[in-house]
Amino acid sequence: MSEKQGDLLVVRGLKVHFPVTRGLLKRTVGYVKAVDGVSFSIPRGETLGIVGESGSGKSTVGNGVLRATPYAVGDVIFDGVNLADMSKAETRRLRRRMQVVMQDPYASLDPRMNVRDLIAEGVRIHRSMTKAEAAARAEELLELVGIRRAFADRFPHEFSGGQRQRICIARALAMEPEFIVCDEVVSALDVSIQAQVVTLLMELQRLFGLTYMFIGHDLSVVRYISNTIAVMYLGKFMELTESETLYETPLHPYTRALISAAPIPDPRVDRARERILLKGEIPNPLDPPPGCRFCTRCPYAQDACRESEPALREVVPGHFVACRRVGEGGQWIG
């Protein structure tokens, strides 16, 4: 994806390979290629959505960008600064501007602390506020995300799943970040609550100029919030383009399959549309297939697809695809 002057985040060749060890001596016998060389950029104030099946490497991309895993390599350039060139102390200081909201809000909240202290803790450490100032700021943020100040003394178990996710969002906002990784933030919530949380994220984005990486597997949710979407499979990007373009003219067979499997509210439209059924499971990332990662499940795979891996290339301005069956102009090659 081409880089622009207004990009807040630029990622080049990100790889996260986890070593697999065996025996008493912990000898390395291979590597799980969770993320295997992805590149992208996110303009300031916009949202990149990453979709794919479970195990495709979506969450690992977020961890790699945040340098939350020691196995991440590649260039992660945030606001013109390459995180690879920074010391641990410098990275910690920069991390105030890069926050994450996780999938399970209950697991990421300390059950022994009330929500006021959960939010105020980071403010006191990183913003040099007094205890009273941090508590007041925490109550402001709770109100901002739709939770009454009167509930600030309550503990995480006293809230619903949607409310706990709002608390996690408030805690991330306490650091006054510019960039937030939203890692499956609505996947554990009811559909009606999902819409409320996504709407809140979009309102906060407009209010504070936030930049998001929104990771999910629900295509309709990712489409609603994202400006650009990357479709990921077995550690690689299969397709990358603007949100509406992806859904109106999907080019990669994997993207087509994902979209065809997504439910449509109108039963007549749902019954009439083409279904692309994928057989089998995602291959083992410890031993990915030769050639195209998707060739073992692709209904259109040819011998050439199994011989060499296709590069992610721009076939239409702003539309990138990693498939040798898609030619220039997005035309299907028979």
Side-chain angles (χ1 to χ4, degrees):
M1 188 174 182
S2 57
E3 300 168 15
K4 300 181 288 294
Q5 189 172 1
D7 292 337
L8 177 66
L9 182 74
V10 176
V11 176
R12 302 187 192 122
L14 178 67
K15 295 184 180 181
V16 184
H17 293 181
F18 297 104
V20 177
T21 59
R22 289 180 185 166
L24 294 175
L25 299 178
K26 301 294 183 181
R27 182 170 57 91
T28 300
V29 295
Y31 291 89
V32 175
K33 298 178 180 180
V35 178
D36 199 21
V38 300
S39 302
F40 58 90
S41 60
I42 311 178
R44 190 182 299 271
E46 294 191 6
T47 301
L48 170 70
I50 302 181
V51 298
E53 295 171 279
S54 296
S56 59
K58 306 184 300 295
S59 296
T60 310
V61 171
N63 290 332
V65 167
L66 296 173
R67 289 300 196 231
T69 169
Y71 302 107
V73 297
D75 292 324
V76 178
I77 302 168
F78 180 78
D79 199 14
V81 179
N82 195 334
L83 272 62
D85 299 331
M86 302 178 70
S87 65
K88 289 185 178 179
E90 291 172 329
T91 303
R92 278 196 298 271
R93 287 194 294 270
L94 182 67
R95 197 161 287 164
R96 288 187 317 193
R97 302 167 62 190
M98 307 171 71
Q99 292 292 301
V100 61
V101 180
M102 306 297 291
Q103 175 180 358
D104 186 350
Y106 192 70
S108 59
L109 296 173
D110 190 335
R112 300 165 297 179
M113 300 174 67
N114 64 44
V115 297
R116 180 192 292 108
D117 292 341
L118 281 167
I119 298 171
E121 181 181 37
V123 178
R124 289 173 57 196
I125 294 171
H126 294 284
R127 292 291 172 188
S128 302
M129 288 185 177
T130 65
K131 186 175 181 179
E133 290 172 338
R137 177 59 177 159
E139 292 180 7
E140 291 175 5
L141 289 169
L142 281 173
E143 204 162 61
L144 181 67
V145 298
I147 296 178
R148 293 167 55 188
R149 292 174 184 246
F151 295 165
D153 289 318
R154 295 188 179 184
F155 292 82
H157 72 272
E158 299 180 81
F159 294 90
S160 67
Q163 288 174 321
R164 285 197 290 263
Q165 198 60 280
R166 289 172 182 266
I167 293 166
C168 290
I169 293 170
R171 186 175 60 174
L173 289 175
M175 308 309 300
E176 299 182 10
E178 299 169 49
F179 172 70
I180 300 179
V181 175
C182 302
D183 188 4
E184 299 273 13
V185 294
V186 298
S187 62
L189 306 177
D190 293 338
V191 174
S192 60
I193 306 301
Q194 287 182 10
Q196 294 175 18
V197 172
V198 170
T199 300
L200 172 64
L201 288 170
M202 296 176 70
E203 290 174 352
L204 294 171
Q205 185 175 45
R206 287 191 291 268
L207 187 61
F208 298 112
L210 298 170
T211 304
Y212 292 143
M213 178 188 293
F214 192 91
I215 298 166
H217 60 265
D218 189 323
L219 297 173
S220 59
V221 173
V222 176
R223 176 185 188 181
Y224 184 67
I225 193 173
S226 302
N227 302 98
T228 305
I229 295 179
V231 179
M232 195 167 188
Y233 183 83
L234 203 63
K236 292 278 191 178
F237 283 173
M238 299 289 104
E239 191 163 357
L240 176 64
T241 187
E242 292 182 357
S243 175
E244 291 306 312
T245 302
L246 183 81
Y247 284 85
E248 290 174 3
T249 56
L251 298 180
H252 198 282
Y254 181 57
T255 308
R256 291 168 159 179
L258 290 180
I259 292 176
S260 75
I264 294 178
D266 189 334
R268 290 174 298 179
V269 177
D270 192 52
R271 285 193 298 266
R273 66 177 172 159
E274 178 190 7
R275 295 281 187 176
I276 301 176
L277 300 179
L278 297 180
K279 298 180 181 179
E281 301 293 333
I282 294 181
N284 186 349
L286 181 61
D287 185 26
C292 175
R293 299 287 173 97
F294 186 58
C295 68
T296 58
R297 301 174 71 195
C298 180
Y300 311 106
Q302 297 177 330
D303 290 340
C305 300
R306 302 177 181 88
E307 295 172 357
S308 61
E309 186 174 13
L312 186 71
R313 69 192 196 284
E314 190 173 19
V315 295
V316 177
H319 199 152
F320 298 78
V321 183
C323 179
R324 61 180 69 256
R325 300 292 302 275
V326 180
E328 295 301 321
Q331 301 299 316
W332 185 254
I333 301 175

